[in-house]
Amino acid sequence: MPRLVRLYISQILMGFGLASAFVGLLLWLNVANLYHLVTHSDAGLLAVFLLWLFNGLVFAGVQFAISIMRLEDRDTPPSGGCRQRNMALQPIPVRVAADTRKDVLKTRRTH
């Protein structure tokens, strides 16, 4: 099995494991009275399954994204980059015409 597929499967398993722990904690701590809602409803098991499934998809995606970003590229040698100077920006004065008529200034202040 290719290394990337093996990594993907392991991260999916880890994400769904984290999701099961998360849903278990939500029910155990009775967040937003969720345990009562689940146990006293006909569709309670479906709600728990969907909560686990969707959290598992999110956690698995995050796990896989983190693991992909942490991979190092072994094909290219490390490069030091160019030693360029930092360009310092110089401020440039800009003239702006101001309206000094009193009737324009009064209307702007009242709105």
Side-chain angles (χ1 to χ4, degrees):
M1 184 179 323
R3 181 175 165 227
L4 192 60
V5 173
R6 192 175 336 118
L7 175 71
Y8 183 65
I9 291 172
S10 68
Q11 296 307 314
I12 285 176
L13 292 175
M14 187 178 299
F16 277 95
L18 286 171
S20 61
F22 178 71
V23 171
L25 280 173
L26 281 178
L27 293 174
W28 183 57
L29 295 174
N30 201 16
V31 174
N33 208 13
L34 189 62
Y35 181 76
H36 177 75
L37 289 172
V38 167
T39 55
H40 290 81
S41 173
D42 295 335
L45 288 177
L46 177 64
V48 170
F49 172 73
L50 290 176
L51 188 65
W52 172 77
L53 177 71
F54 294 135
N55 278 306
L57 290 173
V58 170
F59 289 166
V62 170
Q63 282 294 118
F64 186 62
I66 289 172
S67 64
I68 287 296
M69 285 187 256
R70 292 185 66 193
L71 286 178
E72 58 187 42
D73 189 15
R74 296 182 182 152
D75 295 339
T76 60
S79 61
C82 299
R83 302 284 183 201
Q84 295 179 350
R85 294 183 294 125
N86 288 337
M87 301 290 286
L89 299 176
Q90 298 294 327
I92 300 172
V94 177
R95 290 197 179 271
V96 177
D99 225 358
T100 58
R101 295 179 300 182
K102 291 183 181 181
D103 58 337
V104 174
L105 293 175
K106 284 181 184 177
T107 59
R108 286 186 186 162
R109 288 184 188 148
T110 58
H111 292 287

